[in-house]
Amino acid sequence: MKQPVRVVVTGAAGQIGYQLLFRIAAGNMLGPDQPVILHLLEIPPAMNAVQGVVMELEDCAFPLLHGVVATDDANVAFKDANYALLVGAMPRGPGMERSDLLQANAKIFSVQGKAMNDHAAKDIKVLVVGNPANTNALIAQQNAPDIDPGQFTAMTRLDHNRALAQLSGKFNVQTNDLTRMTIWGNHSSTQYPDVSQVQVNGCDLTNVDQTWYVDEFIPTVQQRGAAIIKARGASSAASAASSAIDHMRNWALGTAAGDWVSMAIPSDGSYGVAPGIIFSYPVTCANGQYSIVQDLPVSEFSQSRIDATEAELREERSAVEHLF
Ligand code: NAI
């Protein structure tokens, strides 16, 4: 049996936290031979609720769960952490501008970045789920100068999976028949779900009706979160948690041969994107490292969509840069 690894989940008493923790403890994220110690970070008013979650985790008697630490102190939560899923964030309140939201979250993610820098394992893998996820990841990264900047990522896997689901319905195939889907850019309504490289059972996807693609598919994927809130009266929690598991599992254990996934990672300038912003790219993973899939053809249409989502991320960075 391997040595246990320490996995931090922030916002552990929230909706996504409740869908996430039990799957990590069951081995869905890091595999059936990897024991975990869960570190649950919450804010003081939620500590009672967290204790309830801890009791339930205990009651599952998961063989892979070798311990649980529940705390409202980031310095305790990130001690020796190997993986961090940063889910807890300040939600957008009534009348709140996007810039207010960025500032409110900047405080949370700078504190957590510093705590990681001081206490976590230096090769910690960080996934930011809490919105605005890409820029929150940038803030945490900028506050952790001793950790490799490439270890900070944000989640666009839910958008990737939503796109696969839409394609599966449209072309009457299973999601695992589909490969090479790409989400470019920000986890926001400017994201660009790109099907130009998608294959079905190894063959190029042909007969994509452009009107359907531009007027239905792209907006459906971009606005799926809002559609779920409207239908359910609450935001997508189970699918978000499932996608966070997918993101971390692929990063830690690798992607399938011939396929890639979408991860928001620090741009190295690939595809002409401003270096440094946390931008979603097509990536393959092996040996715990990701690499951007290079040299894909980019049509004029794709370029204009990539430019729009990149511009939004550059603006978000400008709004919080003074905090770096
Ligand atoms: P929720 O409101 O149910 O839970 C959030 C939890 O975070 C609460 O329990 C709260 O007490 C906690 N929290 C707040 N500040 C904290 C801090 N400084 N430290 C630790 N915990 C803190 O929200 P839910 O549904 O779980 O969503 C969480 C976040 O995930 C939201 O920002 C949401 O917008 C985002 N999200 C991102 C998605 C993505 O694809 N990237 C998809 C769906 C949601």
Side-chain angles (χ1 to χ4, degrees), residues 69-104:
V69 175
T71 178
D72 56 11
D73 181 346
N75 294 317
V76 174
F78 289 105
K79 180 97 180 78
D80 299 329
N82 306 103
Y83 297 86
L85 294 95
L86 308 186
V87 178
M90 172 85 82
R92 192 170 188 160
M96 206 173 175
E97 297 294 329
R98 193 169 170 88
S99 57
D100 300 330
L101 184 71
L102 280 163
Q103 302 300 328

PDB file of all heavy atoms in Angstrom, residues 69-104:
ATOM      1  N   VAL A  69      -8.788  16.074   8.757  1.00  0.00           N
ATOM      2  CA  VAL A  69      -8.475  17.267   9.545  1.00  0.00           C
ATOM      3  C   VAL A  69      -9.502  18.321   9.142  1.00  0.00           C
ATOM      4  O   VAL A  69      -9.646  18.601   7.954  1.00  0.00           O
ATOM      5  CB  VAL A  69      -7.057  17.795   9.195  1.00  0.00           C
ATOM      6  CG1 VAL A  69      -6.757  19.102   9.910  1.00  0.00           C
ATOM      7  CG2 VAL A  69      -5.995  16.732   9.473  1.00  0.00           C
ATOM      8  N   ALA A  70     -10.238  18.875  10.112  1.00  0.00           N
ATOM      9  CA  ALA A  70     -11.211  19.929   9.789  1.00  0.00           C
ATOM     10  C   ALA A  70     -10.796  21.194  10.522  1.00  0.00           C
ATOM     11  O   ALA A  70     -10.564  21.168  11.728  1.00  0.00           O
ATOM     12  CB  ALA A  70     -12.609  19.511  10.214  1.00  0.00           C
ATOM     13  N   THR A  71     -10.685  22.307   9.795  1.00  0.00           N
ATOM     14  CA  THR A  71     -10.156  23.524  10.409  1.00  0.00           C
ATOM     15  C   THR A  71     -10.666  24.773   9.699  1.00  0.00           C
ATOM     16  O   THR A  71     -11.075  24.706   8.532  1.00  0.00           O
ATOM     17  CB  THR A  71      -8.604  23.505  10.370  1.00  0.00           C
ATOM     18  OG1 THR A  71      -8.096  24.703  10.932  1.00  0.00           O
ATOM     19  CG2 THR A  71      -8.069  23.363   8.954  1.00  0.00           C
ATOM     20  N   ASP A  72     -10.605  25.910  10.428  1.00  0.00           N
ATOM     21  CA  ASP A  72     -10.883  27.196   9.780  1.00  0.00           C
ATOM     22  C   ASP A  72      -9.596  28.016   9.651  1.00  0.00           C
ATOM     23  O   ASP A  72      -9.632  29.205   9.366  1.00  0.00           O
ATOM     24  CB  ASP A  72     -11.963  27.989  10.534  1.00  0.00           C
ATOM     25  CG  ASP A  72     -11.608  28.214  11.985  1.00  0.00           C
ATOM     26  OD1 ASP A  72     -10.446  27.958  12.378  1.00  0.00           O
ATOM     27  OD2 ASP A  72     -12.489  28.661  12.744  1.00  0.00           O
ATOM     28  N   ASP A  73      -8.455  27.354   9.837  1.00  0.00           N
ATOM     29  CA  ASP A  73      -7.156  28.029   9.752  1.00  0.00           C
ATOM     30  C   ASP A  73      -6.404  27.511   8.507  1.00  0.00           C
ATOM     31  O   ASP A  73      -6.023  26.333   8.445  1.00  0.00           O
ATOM     32  CB  ASP A  73      -6.371  27.716  11.037  1.00  0.00           C
ATOM     33  CG  ASP A  73      -4.998  28.389  11.056  1.00  0.00           C
ATOM     34  OD1 ASP A  73      -4.541  28.858   9.995  1.00  0.00           O
ATOM     35  OD2 ASP A  73      -4.380  28.408  12.139  1.00  0.00           O
ATOM     36  N   ALA A  74      -6.183  28.411   7.546  1.00  0.00           N
ATOM     37  CA  ALA A  74      -5.539  27.992   6.290  1.00  0.00           C
ATOM     38  C   ALA A  74      -4.141  27.418   6.541  1.00  0.00           C
ATOM     39  O   ALA A  74      -3.711  26.502   5.830  1.00  0.00           O
ATOM     40  CB  ALA A  74      -5.463  29.180   5.327  1.00  0.00           C
ATOM     41  N   ASN A  75      -3.453  27.920   7.553  1.00  0.00           N
ATOM     42  CA  ASN A  75      -2.095  27.420   7.824  1.00  0.00           C
ATOM     43  C   ASN A  75      -2.118  25.954   8.269  1.00  0.00           C
ATOM     44  O   ASN A  75      -1.198  25.195   7.971  1.00  0.00           O
ATOM     45  CB  ASN A  75      -1.409  28.279   8.888  1.00  0.00           C
ATOM     46  CG  ASN A  75      -1.159  29.681   8.376  1.00  0.00           C
ATOM     47  OD1 ASN A  75      -0.733  29.854   7.235  1.00  0.00           O
ATOM     48  ND2 ASN A  75      -1.465  30.676   9.187  1.00  0.00           N
ATOM     49  N   VAL A  76      -3.173  25.585   8.969  1.00  0.00           N
ATOM     50  CA  VAL A  76      -3.325  24.179   9.385  1.00  0.00           C
ATOM     51  C   VAL A  76      -3.771  23.341   8.181  1.00  0.00           C
ATOM     52  O   VAL A  76      -3.242  22.258   7.920  1.00  0.00           O
ATOM     53  CB  VAL A  76      -4.360  24.069  10.544  1.00  0.00           C
ATOM     54  CG1 VAL A  76      -4.652  22.613  10.883  1.00  0.00           C
ATOM     55  CG2 VAL A  76      -3.871  24.845  11.766  1.00  0.00           C
ATOM     56  N   ALA A  77      -4.707  23.888   7.425  1.00  0.00           N
ATOM     57  CA  ALA A  77      -5.286  23.118   6.312  1.00  0.00           C
ATOM     58  C   ALA A  77      -4.222  22.740   5.272  1.00  0.00           C
ATOM     59  O   ALA A  77      -4.241  21.637   4.733  1.00  0.00           O
ATOM     60  CB  ALA A  77      -6.391  23.921   5.637  1.00  0.00           C
ATOM     61  N   PHE A  78      -3.294  23.667   4.981  1.00  0.00           N
ATOM     62  CA  PHE A  78      -2.350  23.397   3.894  1.00  0.00           C
ATOM     63  C   PHE A  78      -1.064  22.714   4.349  1.00  0.00           C
ATOM     64  O   PHE A  78      -0.177  22.449   3.535  1.00  0.00           O
ATOM     65  CB  PHE A  78      -2.037  24.698   3.131  1.00  0.00           C
ATOM     66  CG  PHE A  78      -3.212  25.152   2.311  1.00  0.00           C
ATOM     67  CD1 PHE A  78      -3.995  26.224   2.721  1.00  0.00           C
ATOM     68  CD2 PHE A  78      -3.562  24.477   1.150  1.00  0.00           C
ATOM     69  CE1 PHE A  78      -5.097  26.620   1.968  1.00  0.00           C
ATOM     70  CE2 PHE A  78      -4.666  24.869   0.399  1.00  0.00           C
ATOM     71  CZ  PHE A  78      -5.431  25.944   0.813  1.00  0.00           C
ATOM     72  N   LYS A  79      -0.975  22.386   5.639  1.00  0.00           N
ATOM     73  CA  LYS A  79       0.255  21.762   6.160  1.00  0.00           C
ATOM     74  C   LYS A  79       0.521  20.443   5.434  1.00  0.00           C
ATOM     75  O   LYS A  79      -0.299  19.534   5.428  1.00  0.00           O
ATOM     76  CB  LYS A  79       0.074  21.536   7.671  1.00  0.00           C
ATOM     77  CG  LYS A  79       1.249  20.900   8.354  1.00  0.00           C
ATOM     78  CD  LYS A  79       2.139  21.957   9.022  1.00  0.00           C
ATOM     79  CE  LYS A  79       3.331  21.345   9.720  1.00  0.00           C
ATOM     80  NZ  LYS A  79       4.424  20.958   8.833  1.00  0.00           N
ATOM     81  N   ASP A  80       1.660  20.382   4.755  1.00  0.00           N
ATOM     82  CA  ASP A  80       2.134  19.181   4.050  1.00  0.00           C
ATOM     83  C   ASP A  80       1.189  18.686   2.953  1.00  0.00           C
ATOM     84  O   ASP A  80       1.229  17.505   2.569  1.00  0.00           O
ATOM     85  CB  ASP A  80       2.406  18.030   5.042  1.00  0.00           C
ATOM     86  CG  ASP A  80       3.473  18.406   6.055  1.00  0.00           C
ATOM     87  OD1 ASP A  80       4.373  19.192   5.699  1.00  0.00           O
ATOM     88  OD2 ASP A  80       3.394  17.946   7.213  1.00  0.00           O
ATOM     89  N   ALA A  81       0.338  19.586   2.465  1.00  0.00           N
ATOM     90  CA  ALA A  81      -0.671  19.162   1.481  1.00  0.00           C
ATOM     91  C   ALA A  81      -0.024  18.813   0.139  1.00  0.00           C
ATOM     92  O   ALA A  81       0.868  19.509  -0.341  1.00  0.00           O
ATOM     93  CB  ALA A  81      -1.699  20.269   1.279  1.00  0.00           C
ATOM     94  N   ASN A  82      -0.513  17.728  -0.480  1.00  0.00           N
ATOM     95  CA  ASN A  82      -0.036  17.278  -1.790  1.00  0.00           C
ATOM     96  C   ASN A  82      -0.972  17.694  -2.924  1.00  0.00           C
ATOM     97  O   ASN A  82      -0.541  17.829  -4.073  1.00  0.00           O
ATOM     98  CB  ASN A  82       0.097  15.756  -1.811  1.00  0.00           C
ATOM     99  CG  ASN A  82       0.951  15.240  -0.669  1.00  0.00           C
ATOM    100  OD1 ASN A  82       0.435  14.725   0.325  1.00  0.00           O
ATOM    101  ND2 ASN A  82       2.264  15.409  -0.786  1.00  0.00           N
ATOM    102  N   TYR A  83      -2.242  17.822  -2.598  1.00  0.00           N
ATOM    103  CA  TYR A  83      -3.262  18.218  -3.580  1.00  0.00           C
ATOM    104  C   TYR A  83      -4.182  19.230  -2.911  1.00  0.00           C
ATOM    105  O   TYR A  83      -4.467  19.084  -1.716  1.00  0.00           O
ATOM    106  CB  TYR A  83      -4.122  17.018  -4.022  1.00  0.00           C
ATOM    107  CG  TYR A  83      -3.340  15.939  -4.730  1.00  0.00           C
ATOM    108  CD1 TYR A  83      -2.694  14.942  -4.013  1.00  0.00           C
ATOM    109  CD2 TYR A  83      -3.245  15.930  -6.119  1.00  0.00           C
ATOM    110  CE1 TYR A  83      -1.950  13.964  -4.662  1.00  0.00           C
ATOM    111  CE2 TYR A  83      -2.514  14.954  -6.777  1.00  0.00           C
ATOM    112  CZ  TYR A  83      -1.871  13.976  -6.049  1.00  0.00           C
ATOM    113  OH  TYR A  83      -1.148  13.014  -6.696  1.00  0.00           O
ATOM    114  N   ALA A  84      -4.648  20.217  -3.674  1.00  0.00           N
ATOM    115  CA  ALA A  84      -5.618  21.163  -3.105  1.00  0.00           C
ATOM    116  C   ALA A  84      -6.712  21.439  -4.125  1.00  0.00           C
ATOM    117  O   ALA A  84      -6.421  21.746  -5.289  1.00  0.00           O
ATOM    118  CB  ALA A  84      -4.928  22.468  -2.720  1.00  0.00           C
ATOM    119  N   LEU A  85      -7.954  21.297  -3.683  1.00  0.00           N
ATOM    120  CA  LEU A  85      -9.099  21.640  -4.524  1.00  0.00           C
ATOM    121  C   LEU A  85      -9.760  22.842  -3.867  1.00  0.00           C
ATOM    122  O   LEU A  85     -10.380  22.715  -2.802  1.00  0.00           O
ATOM    123  CB  LEU A  85     -10.071  20.454  -4.642  1.00  0.00           C
ATOM    124  CG  LEU A  85      -9.470  19.251  -5.385  1.00  0.00           C
ATOM    125  CD1 LEU A  85      -8.876  18.255  -4.405  1.00  0.00           C
ATOM    126  CD2 LEU A  85     -10.503  18.545  -6.246  1.00  0.00           C
ATOM    127  N   LEU A  86      -9.560  24.015  -4.468  1.00  0.00           N
ATOM    128  CA  LEU A  86     -10.016  25.261  -3.862  1.00  0.00           C
ATOM    129  C   LEU A  86     -11.419  25.573  -4.387  1.00  0.00           C
ATOM    130  O   LEU A  86     -11.573  26.122  -5.481  1.00  0.00           O
ATOM    131  CB  LEU A  86      -9.032  26.392  -4.157  1.00  0.00           C
ATOM    132  CG  LEU A  86      -7.559  26.104  -3.815  1.00  0.00           C
ATOM    133  CD1 LEU A  86      -6.702  27.350  -4.026  1.00  0.00           C
ATOM    134  CD2 LEU A  86      -7.387  25.590  -2.394  1.00  0.00           C
ATOM    135  N   VAL A  87     -12.388  25.169  -3.594  1.00  0.00           N
ATOM    136  CA  VAL A  87     -13.794  25.262  -4.013  1.00  0.00           C
ATOM    137  C   VAL A  87     -14.486  26.460  -3.363  1.00  0.00           C
ATOM    138  O   VAL A  87     -15.297  27.135  -3.984  1.00  0.00           O
ATOM    139  CB  VAL A  87     -14.529  23.946  -3.636  1.00  0.00           C
ATOM    140  CG1 VAL A  87     -15.995  24.029  -4.021  1.00  0.00           C
ATOM    141  CG2 VAL A  87     -13.860  22.735  -4.282  1.00  0.00           C
ATOM    142  N   GLY A  88     -14.168  26.717  -2.099  1.00  0.00           N
ATOM    143  CA  GLY A  88     -14.835  27.793  -1.353  1.00  0.00           C
ATOM    144  C   GLY A  88     -14.512  29.146  -1.951  1.00  0.00           C
ATOM    145  O   GLY A  88     -13.351  29.451  -2.234  1.00  0.00           O
ATOM    146  N   ALA A  89     -15.537  29.944  -2.175  1.00  0.00           N
ATOM    147  CA  ALA A  89     -15.333  31.278  -2.745  1.00  0.00           C
ATOM    148  C   ALA A  89     -16.497  32.149  -2.316  1.00  0.00           C
ATOM    149  O   ALA A  89     -17.523  31.653  -1.846  1.00  0.00           O
ATOM    150  CB  ALA A  89     -15.253  31.184  -4.266  1.00  0.00           C
ATOM    151  N   MET A  90     -16.324  33.442  -2.502  1.00  0.00           N
ATOM    152  CA  MET A  90     -17.402  34.388  -2.181  1.00  0.00           C
ATOM    153  C   MET A  90     -18.365  34.434  -3.358  1.00  0.00           C
ATOM    154  O   MET A  90     -17.965  34.738  -4.485  1.00  0.00           O
ATOM    155  CB  MET A  90     -16.753  35.759  -1.972  1.00  0.00           C
ATOM    156  CG  MET A  90     -17.712  36.890  -1.816  1.00  0.00           C
ATOM    157  SD  MET A  90     -18.252  37.059  -0.131  1.00  0.00           S
ATOM    158  CE  MET A  90     -16.888  37.981   0.553  1.00  0.00           C
ATOM    159  N   PRO A  91     -19.647  34.101  -3.124  1.00  0.00           N
ATOM    160  CA  PRO A  91     -20.579  34.141  -4.259  1.00  0.00           C
ATOM    161  C   PRO A  91     -20.927  35.577  -4.646  1.00  0.00           C
ATOM    162  O   PRO A  91     -20.772  36.494  -3.847  1.00  0.00           O
ATOM    163  CB  PRO A  91     -21.820  33.415  -3.726  1.00  0.00           C
ATOM    164  CG  PRO A  91     -21.728  33.520  -2.243  1.00  0.00           C
ATOM    165  CD  PRO A  91     -20.293  33.748  -1.867  1.00  0.00           C
ATOM    166  N   ARG A  92     -21.392  35.735  -5.866  1.00  0.00           N
ATOM    167  CA  ARG A  92     -21.768  37.069  -6.337  1.00  0.00           C
ATOM    168  C   ARG A  92     -23.103  37.446  -5.705  1.00  0.00           C
ATOM    169  O   ARG A  92     -24.098  36.759  -5.888  1.00  0.00           O
ATOM    170  CB  ARG A  92     -21.907  37.017  -7.865  1.00  0.00           C
ATOM    171  CG  ARG A  92     -22.001  38.368  -8.495  1.00  0.00           C
ATOM    172  CD  ARG A  92     -21.876  38.173  -9.995  1.00  0.00           C
ATOM    173  NE  ARG A  92     -21.773  39.424 -10.684  1.00  0.00           N
ATOM    174  CZ  ARG A  92     -21.284  39.545 -11.906  1.00  0.00           C
ATOM    175  NH1 ARG A  92     -20.840  38.489 -12.543  1.00  0.00           N
ATOM    176  NH2 ARG A  92     -21.233  40.702 -12.497  1.00  0.00           N
ATOM    177  N   GLY A  93     -23.125  38.521  -4.924  1.00  0.00           N
ATOM    178  CA  GLY A  93     -24.356  38.960  -4.257  1.00  0.00           C
ATOM    179  C   GLY A  93     -25.136  39.900  -5.158  1.00  0.00           C
ATOM    180  O   GLY A  93     -24.643  40.318  -6.206  1.00  0.00           O
ATOM    181  N   PRO A  94     -26.390  40.240  -4.729  1.00  0.00           N
ATOM    182  CA  PRO A  94     -27.213  41.142  -5.532  1.00  0.00           C
ATOM    183  C   PRO A  94     -26.513  42.488  -5.705  1.00  0.00           C
ATOM    184  O   PRO A  94     -25.952  43.024  -4.738  1.00  0.00           O
ATOM    185  CB  PRO A  94     -28.497  41.303  -4.689  1.00  0.00           C
ATOM    186  CG  PRO A  94     -28.402  40.353  -3.553  1.00  0.00           C
ATOM    187  CD  PRO A  94     -27.013  39.819  -3.481  1.00  0.00           C
ATOM    188  N   GLY A  95     -26.524  42.998  -6.914  1.00  0.00           N
ATOM    189  CA  GLY A  95     -25.946  44.309  -7.194  1.00  0.00           C
ATOM    190  C   GLY A  95     -24.420  44.336  -7.223  1.00  0.00           C
ATOM    191  O   GLY A  95     -23.820  45.397  -7.351  1.00  0.00           O
ATOM    192  N   MET A  96     -23.805  43.172  -7.063  1.00  0.00           N
ATOM    193  CA  MET A  96     -22.339  43.123  -7.018  1.00  0.00           C
ATOM    194  C   MET A  96     -21.784  43.120  -8.447  1.00  0.00           C
ATOM    195  O   MET A  96     -22.213  42.322  -9.276  1.00  0.00           O
ATOM    196  CB  MET A  96     -21.943  41.824  -6.301  1.00  0.00           C
ATOM    197  CG  MET A  96     -20.623  41.850  -5.623  1.00  0.00           C
ATOM    198  SD  MET A  96     -20.488  40.293  -4.685  1.00  0.00           S
ATOM    199  CE  MET A  96     -18.839  40.451  -4.081  1.00  0.00           C
ATOM    200  N   GLU A  97     -20.853  44.016  -8.723  1.00  0.00           N
ATOM    201  CA  GLU A  97     -20.203  44.033 -10.038  1.00  0.00           C
ATOM    202  C   GLU A  97     -19.163  42.916 -10.095  1.00  0.00           C
ATOM    203  O   GLU A  97     -18.668  42.475  -9.059  1.00  0.00           O
ATOM    204  CB  GLU A  97     -19.489  45.369 -10.251  1.00  0.00           C
ATOM    205  CG  GLU A  97     -20.382  46.588 -10.263  1.00  0.00           C
ATOM    206  CD  GLU A  97     -21.329  46.587 -11.466  1.00  0.00           C
ATOM    207  OE1 GLU A  97     -20.934  46.055 -12.518  1.00  0.00           O
ATOM    208  OE2 GLU A  97     -22.450  47.086 -11.318  1.00  0.00           O
ATOM    209  N   ARG A  98     -18.787  42.541 -11.321  1.00  0.00           N
ATOM    210  CA  ARG A  98     -17.756  41.510 -11.483  1.00  0.00           C
ATOM    211  C   ARG A  98     -16.437  41.940 -10.816  1.00  0.00           C
ATOM    212  O   ARG A  98     -15.729  41.137 -10.232  1.00  0.00           O
ATOM    213  CB  ARG A  98     -17.532  41.242 -12.979  1.00  0.00           C
ATOM    214  CG  ARG A  98     -16.729  39.979 -13.222  1.00  0.00           C
ATOM    215  CD  ARG A  98     -16.733  39.564 -14.682  1.00  0.00           C
ATOM    216  NE  ARG A  98     -15.770  38.496 -14.884  1.00  0.00           N
ATOM    217  CZ  ARG A  98     -16.039  37.206 -14.747  1.00  0.00           C
ATOM    218  NH1 ARG A  98     -17.237  36.822 -14.385  1.00  0.00           N
ATOM    219  NH2 ARG A  98     -15.106  36.296 -14.936  1.00  0.00           N
ATOM    220  N   SER A  99     -16.161  43.260 -10.886  1.00  0.00           N
ATOM    221  CA  SER A  99     -14.907  43.737 -10.279  1.00  0.00           C
ATOM    222  C   SER A  99     -14.954  43.593  -8.749  1.00  0.00           C
ATOM    223  O   SER A  99     -13.954  43.255  -8.122  1.00  0.00           O
ATOM    224  CB  SER A  99     -14.639  45.179 -10.678  1.00  0.00           C
ATOM    225  OG  SER A  99     -15.723  45.974 -10.299  1.00  0.00           O
ATOM    226  N   ASP A 100     -16.149  43.808  -8.138  1.00  0.00           N
ATOM    227  CA  ASP A 100     -16.277  43.614  -6.679  1.00  0.00           C
ATOM    228  C   ASP A 100     -16.035  42.142  -6.331  1.00  0.00           C
ATOM    229  O   ASP A 100     -15.404  41.818  -5.322  1.00  0.00           O
ATOM    230  CB  ASP A 100     -17.689  43.976  -6.182  1.00  0.00           C
ATOM    231  CG  ASP A 100     -18.049  45.426  -6.474  1.00  0.00           C
ATOM    232  OD1 ASP A 100     -17.124  46.253  -6.511  1.00  0.00           O
ATOM    233  OD2 ASP A 100     -19.242  45.709  -6.670  1.00  0.00           O
ATOM    234  N   LEU A 101     -16.584  41.287  -7.179  1.00  0.00           N
ATOM    235  CA  LEU A 101     -16.431  39.836  -6.953  1.00  0.00           C
ATOM    236  C   LEU A 101     -14.947  39.451  -7.026  1.00  0.00           C
ATOM    237  O   LEU A 101     -14.450  38.681  -6.187  1.00  0.00           O
ATOM    238  CB  LEU A 101     -17.230  39.070  -8.013  1.00  0.00           C
ATOM    239  CG  LEU A 101     -17.254  37.560  -7.876  1.00  0.00           C
ATOM    240  CD1 LEU A 101     -18.108  37.148  -6.680  1.00  0.00           C
ATOM    241  CD2 LEU A 101     -17.808  36.897  -9.132  1.00  0.00           C
ATOM    242  N   LEU A 102     -14.264  40.023  -8.013  1.00  0.00           N
ATOM    243  CA  LEU A 102     -12.830  39.735  -8.162  1.00  0.00           C
ATOM    244  C   LEU A 102     -12.064  40.182  -6.916  1.00  0.00           C
ATOM    245  O   LEU A 102     -11.229  39.444  -6.391  1.00  0.00           O
ATOM    246  CB  LEU A 102     -12.272  40.457  -9.390  1.00  0.00           C
ATOM    247  CG  LEU A 102     -12.543  39.801 -10.741  1.00  0.00           C
ATOM    248  CD1 LEU A 102     -12.320  40.785 -11.876  1.00  0.00           C
ATOM    249  CD2 LEU A 102     -11.648  38.585 -10.931  1.00  0.00           C
ATOM    250  N   GLN A 103     -12.396  41.355  -6.412  1.00  0.00           N
ATOM    251  CA  GLN A 103     -11.676  41.878  -5.236  1.00  0.00           C
ATOM    252  C   GLN A 103     -11.954  41.022  -4.004  1.00  0.00           C
ATOM    253  O   GLN A 103     -11.045  40.689  -3.240  1.00  0.00           O
ATOM    254  CB  GLN A 103     -12.104  43.330  -4.909  1.00  0.00           C
ATOM    255  CG  GLN A 103     -11.903  44.323  -6.026  1.00  0.00           C
ATOM    256  CD  GLN A 103     -10.456  44.452  -6.465  1.00  0.00           C
ATOM    257  OE1 GLN A 103      -9.543  44.301  -5.665  1.00  0.00           O
ATOM    258  NE2 GLN A 103     -10.242  44.704  -7.737  1.00  0.00           N
ATOM    259  N   ALA A 104     -13.247  40.667  -3.803  1.00  0.00           N
ATOM    260  CA  ALA A 104     -13.627  39.890  -2.616  1.00  0.00           C
ATOM    261  C   ALA A 104     -12.902  38.547  -2.629  1.00  0.00           C
ATOM    262  O   ALA A 104     -12.390  38.077  -1.597  1.00  0.00           O
ATOM    263  CB  ALA A 104     -15.138  39.679  -2.594  1.00  0.00           C
TER     264      ALA A 104
END
